[in-house]
């Protein structure tokens, strides 16, 4: 049996078990202190994209945080806590998988790449060890921000329209997509071994090494190392991350990247975040892009239903797709929590612009409206 078939089989079992149990949604505890819990979410959204010539409207699963189900199991064994996490996306077509011509090939069908976690953990005073499919240590290092709107307005800007193409000055589709011209180089989920040190004064160090077992077209190896910081200082929450990533390509060449991000959330509800990343690709003819990002958020409690979050941000990138190119995006959004029902309702507006030396493209403008129900 191939490794891909093995992981796919496990994920299908986790999906069936988790989906059935999610109706009741209990957390079971045994006499040894072990627990089993189930969780999930649905996140449908409406997106409207204006490419300067035409407007395209779609209803799809929000790629801000796709619909999913999962199970968590933990059991103490002496001084070590043993855990398991299984999680799969439901495979709905995503907002980022539509363009002016329709839906991306394969979108809307469940594939093994929808497996998010098949992850075993071992945690003690010595730190935490992860084995299986799950987050590399750098996953999230480029996208740290605080405040309620940080899940709606954050460092990666293409969740609503990443597959859309820019139009050239004649109004023709260029073949250049948002996902090609914007990015954060954030860490990914891989089949890996990962180690996190114990937290010390807010700092956690770690490293991971793995492969992409869910893709039959990827025989590369991945490694990363980094540090996170999370602490409350004088009623201000502070979070930050820094990571270095290395990809050894089976076909030859290597790609390295540095990413960093951080945010603060003040006691009065104001939040600020920033991020930066750079990538170096050794393959001939490849550009070495970089990006920078700033964000401001505000959390308010207008109603008993839950916190209202506002956010605005700006992204600047260079050398994506081609050397000398410029990418820019700005966005604004609002999110309303309805705590009693586990629902978030959100609305955002974003503009993307891209230009290459000697060539300008029409801006892409998108509106995203959706609601996430978590159980």
């Amino acid at each position: 049996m191939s490794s891909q078939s093995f992981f796919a089989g496990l994920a299908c079992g986790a999906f069936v078990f988790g989906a059935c149990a999610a109706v009741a949604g209990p957390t079971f505890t045994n006499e040894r202190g072990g627990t089993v819990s189930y969780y999930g979410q649905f996140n449908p959204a409406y997106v409207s994209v204006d490419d300067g010539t035409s407007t395209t409207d779609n209803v799809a699963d929000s790629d801000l945080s796709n619909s999913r189900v999962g199970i968590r199991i933990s059991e103490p064994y002496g001084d070590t806590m043993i855990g398991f996490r299984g999680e799969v996306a439901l495979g709905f077509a995503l907002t980022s998988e539509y363009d002016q011509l329709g839906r991306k090939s394969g979108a809307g069908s469940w594939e093994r790449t929808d497996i998010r976690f098949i992850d075993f953990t071992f945690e003690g005073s010595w730190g935490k060890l992860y084995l299986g499919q799950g987050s590399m240590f750098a996953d999230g290092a480029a996208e740290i921000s605080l405040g309620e709107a940080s899940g709606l307005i954050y460092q990666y800007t293409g969740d609503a329209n990443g597959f859309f193409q820019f139009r050239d000055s004649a109004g023709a589709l260029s073949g250049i997509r948002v996902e090609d011209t914007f990015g954060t180089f954030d860490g990914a989920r891989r089949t890996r071994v990962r180690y996190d040190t114990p937290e010390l004064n807010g700092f956690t160090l770690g490293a991971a090494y793995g492969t992409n077992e869910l893709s039959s077209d990827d025989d590369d190896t991945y490694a990363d190392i980094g540090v996170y910081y999370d602490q409350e200082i004088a009623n201000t929450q502070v979070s930050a991350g820094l990571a270095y990533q290395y990809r050894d390509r089976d076909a030859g060449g290597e790609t390295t990247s540095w990413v960093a991000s951080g945010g603060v959330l003040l006691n009065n509800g104001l939040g600020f975040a920033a991020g930066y990343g750079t990538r170096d690709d050794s393959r001939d003819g490849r550009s070495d892009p970089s990006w920078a990002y700033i964000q401001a958020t505000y959390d308010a409690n207008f109603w008993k239903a839950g916190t209202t979050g506002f956010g605005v941000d700006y992204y600047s990138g260079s050398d994506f797709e081609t050397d000398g190119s410029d990418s820019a995006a700005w966005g604004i959004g609002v999110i309303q929590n309805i705590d009693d029902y586990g629902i978030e309702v959100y609305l955002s507006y974003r503009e993307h612009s891209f230009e290459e030396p000697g060539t300008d493209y029409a801006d892409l403008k998108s509106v995203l409206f959706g609601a996430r129900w978590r159980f």
Side-chain angles (χ1 to χ4, degrees), residues 328-361:
W330 69 272
I332 187 169
V334 59
I335 185 168
Q336 176 62 53
N337 289 280
I338 306 174
D339 294 337
D340 288 347
Y341 299 97
I343 293 175
E344 301 167 341
V345 181
Y346 54 87
L347 174 67
S348 68
Y349 174 83
R350 185 172 290 285
E351 291 191 10
H352 287 95
S353 63
F354 177 69
E355 60 182 48
E356 297 175 300
T359 307
D360 291 332
Y361 299 92

Side-chain angles (χ1 to χ4, degrees), residues 69-252:
V69 293
I71 180 174
R72 292 181 184 269
I73 303 171
S74 65
E75 182 82 18
Y77 187 79
D79 294 331
T80 300
M81 181 64 73
I82 300 174
F84 171 78
R85 180 181 182 183
E87 182 181 301
V88 294
L90 299 185
F92 301 143
L94 298 168
T95 52
S96 63
E97 294 179 324
Y98 286 86
D99 69 358
Q100 296 93 331
L101 303 177
R103 197 165 71 179
K104 184 178 182 180
S105 176
S109 59
W110 196 91
E111 300 176 343
R112 64 180 174 224
T113 52
D114 288 310
I115 301 170
R116 295 173 57 82
F117 292 91
I118 303 177
D119 199 12
F120 295 88
T121 59
F122 306 85
E123 185 174 12
S125 58
W126 43 267
K128 190 170 185 177
L129 179 68
Y130 300 76
L131 297 173
Q133 174 69 25
S135 294
M136 297 285 285
F137 189 77
D139 188 9
E143 299 177 350
I144 295 173
S145 56
L146 303 172
E148 292 296 327
S150 62
L152 175 62
I153 298 291
Y154 71 112
Q155 284 87 336
Y156 182 66
T157 63
D159 287 317
N161 62 356
F163 200 54
F164 273 79
Q165 301 178 47
F166 289 97
R167 290 188 183 271
D168 61 23
S169 57
L173 295 176
S174 66
I176 300 174
R177 305 183 186 277
V178 170
E179 65 183 12
D180 301 325
T181 55
F182 292 82
T184 63
F185 323 136
D186 194 40
R189 291 182 299 275
R190 297 285 182 252
T191 304
R192 84 304 187 219
V193 56
R194 167 180 163 179
Y195 171 71
D196 294 8
T197 67
E199 181 269 336
L200 178 62
N201 295 326
F203 289 95
T204 302
L205 283 72
Y209 177 86
T211 57
N212 189 0
E213 293 297 319
L214 301 184
S215 174
S216 59
D217 299 325
D218 185 354
D219 294 320
D220 302 347
T221 56
Y222 300 81
D224 62 28
I225 188 170
V227 59
Y228 291 100
Y229 178 79
D230 187 53
Q231 195 83 300
E232 184 173 319
I233 303 172
N235 294 321
T236 298
Q237 187 65 40
V238 181
S239 295
L242 170 67
Y244 171 79
Q245 301 174 78
Y246 175 80
R247 178 177 181 177
D248 184 9
R249 297 181 180 272
D250 183 67

Side-chain angles (χ1 to χ4, degrees), residues 222-307:
Y222 300 81
D224 62 28
I225 188 170
V227 59
Y228 291 100
Y229 178 79
D230 187 53
Q231 195 83 300
E232 184 173 319
I233 303 172
N235 294 321
T236 298
Q237 187 65 40
V238 181
S239 295
L242 170 67
Y244 171 79
Q245 301 174 78
Y246 175 80
R247 178 177 181 177
D248 184 9
R249 297 181 180 272
D250 183 67
E254 60 187 33
T255 303
T256 60
S257 62
W258 284 95
V259 294
S261 64
V264 297
L265 182 62
L266 307 179
N267 193 43
N268 61 7
L270 282 172
F272 303 94
Y276 176 79
T278 181
R279 186 177 67 194
D280 183 6
D281 196 323
S282 69
R283 294 174 295 172
D284 292 341
R286 303 283 176 163
S287 60
D288 295 328
S290 61
W291 61 274
Y293 174 87
I294 55 173
Q295 176 206 79
T297 60
Y298 177 66
D299 296 344
N301 293 298
F302 298 129
W303 300 284
K304 293 182 180 180
T307 303

